[in-house]
Amino acid sequence: MPHTYITDGAEIYRQSFATIRAEADLARFTPEEEIVTVRMIHAAGMVGLEQHVQFSPDMAIAARAALEDGAPILCDAYMVSEGITRKRLPRENEVICTLRDERVPGMARDMANTRSAAALELWRPNLAGAVVAIGNAPTALFHLLNMLEDPECPRPAAIIGCPVGFIGAAESKEALMQDLPVPSMIVKGRLGGSAITVAAVNALASRVE
């Protein structure tokens, strides 16, 4: 006997977001933050994720304004850069991931660091006013924070810091919110990942669900 299921994509989205809003505790978020958080919950399939989401004041507003002004999006991993929905970007924003640049392996050896961290050195020409999306590597987030300790380093407009994992992920995100070099948001603890990070970017890029 054939399975019956909802086949209308728009209706699936409508019911999904309605379910999230009915079940998740979103009361502490501003309207701009709620849009982002709901999409992150949807990407994770996890009501309860909202308990771990933390925004610095006005981060969502700053990131959305930067995107609407044409800011590039700098990504630590191709799983992030390829997941961003280009048609949602308000100004055909450039999406940049430097991880596969041929210079990166040598830079990583010279720095005695990971390729993910070394690749960020190639962000410098595009870093000023950018929206940073780190969804994979804690070493990338730590290295970015070290870069931003230099007052001459260009400053991004906002940082989405959601690296995932068991070693360094929680610590790197805690360090981001303690240093807070620019408006930032995180998913606290070991949780995170590319899908959640992409969802945050897509929500900031367009309010359309």
Side-chain angles (χ1 to χ4, degrees), residues 72-186:
I73 304 166
L74 306 181
C75 307
D76 70 320
Y78 279 92
M79 287 180 68
V80 177
S81 63
E82 295 306 306
I84 294 170
T85 305
R86 298 318 195 257
K87 67 181 181 181
R88 293 181 67 89
L89 298 177
R91 293 282 299 278
E92 298 183 355
N93 308 66
E94 187 176 8
V95 180
I96 298 170
C97 181
T98 53
L99 189 58
R100 293 178 186 160
D101 189 287
E102 62 184 9
R103 294 168 287 180
V104 168
M107 293 169 60
R109 287 192 297 271
D110 292 343
M111 295 167 55
N113 207 332
T114 66
R115 294 185 183 187
S116 295
L120 270 61
E121 289 293 330
L122 301 178
W123 286 5
R124 290 182 184 271
N126 303 103
L127 192 54
V131 173
V132 170
I134 295 180
N136 181 58
T139 57
L141 183 52
F142 272 128
H143 188 63
L144 177 61
L145 292 176
N146 288 341
M147 289 169 60
L148 292 174
E149 287 184 358
D150 179 356
E152 295 186 0
C153 181
R155 318 294 283 184
I159 298 172
I160 300 166
C162 296
V164 62
F166 296 91
I167 306 300
E171 294 84 353
S172 66
K173 291 178 281 191
E174 183 178 348
L176 171 60
M177 299 310 283
Q178 287 179 346
D179 291 4
L180 202 62
V182 299
S184 302
M185 66 84 61
I186 63 169

